[in-house]
Amino acid sequence: METVAVVTAFLRNRGEVLLLERSDRVGSYTGQWGAVAGHAEGDPDRLVRVEIAEETGLDDAVELVRRGEPFTVTDADRETEWRVHPYLFDCERRDVTPNEETSRWEWVPPTAIRERETVPDLWRSYDRVRPSVATVADDETHGAAYLSVRALDVLRDEAALANTGEAVATVARDLLDARASMHAVSNRINRVMIDAETPESVKREAISAIERAATADERAARKAAARLTALVATLSRSGTVAQALTEADPDRLVVFESRPGGEGVDVAERFATGTDVTLAPDAAMADVLDRVGVESVIVGADTVLPDGRVVNKVGTRPLAAVANRAGVPVVVATATAKIAPEGATTVGREPRDDCYDGDVPLSVECPTFEPTPADHIDHLVTEDGRLGEEHVRDRAREHATAAAWCDR
């Protein structure tokens, strides 16, 4: 029996994956649905990107999320043993340019794999790379908006596999524990669970929640962009802020590096093509804002507390204070899912322990997040527009009500 190495790549956008129906121009599994796939004799990590380029034209829009452990699929009829190398990529766009090997293509929830006629063991390939409670818990790269959608991905997929409502509820509780201080995660999970009890209803609600989350972030970014000027400053990294800056297209952008993680460096590099970008140390905020003549400041939010304080990456509070003193408006762009439930008062998020590695017995304070007082924020902008204090309190009460499903 011949052994053939192949790659299988799932491209993910807005919680959906790209499936391709194989045309009669391919030599195997005509008419069946698959992911991006091709032979991988040699270097699978290189060849998978070749296949993405040839089959979708989206090679410039993908970022590797993870590669799964290879596995073997035996096709006795073809006397072939496929050695499958699975991959998952995040994809920025949906404008697929297929080649002759594809007769149709669709972006669908991954659970649709289990409902279609697919190439052998396609779900097994996805299972090797799909998000899990562990990947949500261990992710130290992405923010609350991204991770809340990944948590919904996990809930959707596990609901499709579960036999009982209690099994799904266990997964939901595990997700809440995995990111206990990320209110965007808990609020979005709670909203699904308060409205659904059976595995099938949880799956449907999770699919809807993923679409609502993507739409909320886009609308918040668009509304925040309308409040920006030609000369903007920001701090750290936020997906919603990045969308707002893309929409606003300022003439000049000042990015503060955001210690201790330095996330601002990535943001500065991202916008440096086509925009006049200045990267500056956090300690120089006051001087840079004055000398450059910054006209507006935009930041994201990890959490909005019920009293209106905005919890975000450390450095946000001094940036807001400096901007206030200079008469520069401060815009916070976020989704209402990040408003903490009524009764929440804590900042959350563990501090880093790598600020000092010397031998002197010092007491080291190295928080990663801090609260910025509500009166330092000029515009708290969400998918519903600018929110005042009463609107924030109303949403906090709604989120507290949704959390009651845990007591069922």
Side-chain angles (χ1 to χ4, degrees):
M1 183 172 288
E2 181 184 17
T3 298
V4 179
V6 294
V7 293
T8 296
F10 297 93
L11 308 191
R12 181 176 65 193
N13 178 281
R14 297 172 72 104
E16 296 182 327
V17 295
L18 177 65
L19 293 187
L20 309 169
E21 186 182 51
R22 296 168 67 85
S23 74
D24 56 10
R25 299 293 296 274
V26 295
S28 60
Y29 310 116
T30 298
Q32 296 181 4
W33 291 89
V36 174
H39 286 229
E41 300 298 340
D43 180 5
D45 289 351
R46 181 184 67 83
L47 294 172
V48 69
R49 292 182 178 273
V50 172
E51 294 297 334
I52 291 171
E54 292 179 352
E55 297 187 16
T56 70
L58 292 170
D59 51 302
D60 63 338
V62 298
E63 180 180 357
L64 178 65
V65 176
R66 70 181 59 88
R67 58 179 63 80
E69 285 295 318
F71 64 95
T72 300
V73 178
T74 301
D75 188 331
D77 293 339
R78 296 180 181 278
E79 297 184 344
T80 301
E81 186 177 76
W82 305 107
R83 181 66 172 168
V84 182
H85 297 261
Y87 293 81
L88 175 65
F89 290 83
D90 277 333
C91 188
E92 292 182 351
R93 307 194 314 270
R94 290 186 171 223
D95 51 328
V96 177
T97 304
N99 62 12
E100 69 279 358
E101 296 179 355
T102 296
S103 55
R104 287 188 295 165
W105 56 269
E106 292 182 34
W107 292 93
V108 297
T111 50
I113 294 170
R114 296 169 56 81
E115 303 163 2
R116 298 195 180 199
E117 184 181 2
T118 70
V119 299
D121 278 359
L122 186 62
W123 178 264
R124 187 178 176 190
S125 292
Y126 176 68
D127 191 55
R128 292 289 174 109
V129 295
R130 69 186 176 96
S132 64
V133 173
T135 62
V136 170
D138 296 340
D139 191 320
E140 297 299 330
T141 301
H142 297 98
Y146 180 95
L147 287 174
S148 67
V149 176
R150 299 290 76 82
L152 290 170
D153 285 342
V154 175
L155 188 61
R156 173 203 60 210
D157 295 345
E158 294 296 339
L161 299 171
N163 294 319
T164 66
E166 184 52 42
V168 181
T170 297
V171 173
R173 291 187 177 96
D174 288 344
L175 287 166
L176 296 181
D177 291 340
R179 287 292 180 174
S181 64
M182 271 191 180
H183 294 293
V185 173
S186 57
N187 287 337
R188 284 173 168 157
I189 293 292
N190 289 340
R191 181 170 175 180
V192 169
M193 297 303 295
I194 197 69
D195 291 333
E197 295 186 15
T198 66
E200 180 61 26
S201 63
V202 170
K203 184 187 78 171
R204 289 196 307 267
E205 287 294 328
I207 290 171
S208 297
I210 291 167
E211 179 58 28
R212 287 196 304 269
T215 301
D217 292 335
E218 291 171 356
R219 289 176 58 192
R222 189 163 55 248
K223 292 176 184 293
R227 296 182 179 273
L228 299 183
T229 58
L231 215 167
V232 183
T234 191
L235 170 94
S236 190
R237 176 177 54 215
S238 159
T240 307
V241 168
Q243 290 182 51
L245 290 170
T246 300
E247 179 91 12
D249 191 23
D251 295 334
R252 187 170 183 183
L253 175 64
V254 175
V255 183
F256 294 104
E257 61 183 340
S258 187
R259 286 183 177 271
E263 300 89 350
V265 177
D266 293 338
V267 175
E269 291 177 341
R270 171 177 177 175
F271 285 95
T273 301
T275 302
D276 182 359
V277 175
T278 298
L279 178 66
D282 297 355
M285 287 175 181
D287 179 57
V288 171
L289 256 66
D290 285 344
R291 285 193 298 103
V292 174
V294 168
E295 300 166 341
S296 58
V297 167
I298 183 169
V299 293
D302 185 77
T303 298
V304 179
L305 294 172
D307 62 9
R309 286 179 294 160
V310 171
V311 179
N312 198 47
K313 182 67 187 295
V314 67
T316 302
R317 181 170 183 169
L319 177 58
V322 168
N324 288 171
R325 186 175 181 85
V328 174
V330 177
V331 178
V332 173
T334 191
T336 54
K338 291 186 178 181
I339 298 174
E342 187 176 50
T345 59
T346 58
V347 173
R349 307 295 290 273
E350 291 299 317
R352 297 169 67 106
D353 59 4
D354 57 355
C355 290
Y356 177 71
D357 59 2
D359 298 326
V360 177
L362 301 176
S363 175
V364 177
E365 285 282 346
C366 194
T368 52
F369 287 79
E370 64 183 357
T372 297
D375 61 8
H376 283 36
I377 307 300
D378 296 285
H379 307 286
L380 177 63
V381 182
T382 72
E383 69 272 24
D384 296 332
R386 185 176 183 271
L387 294 192
E389 293 180 9
E390 186 57 38
H391 295 101
V392 172
R393 287 193 292 270
D394 288 344
R395 287 306 179 103
R397 283 191 288 269
E398 292 173 9
H399 293 326
T401 299
W405 75 268
C406 287
D407 300 327
R408 288 199 299 238

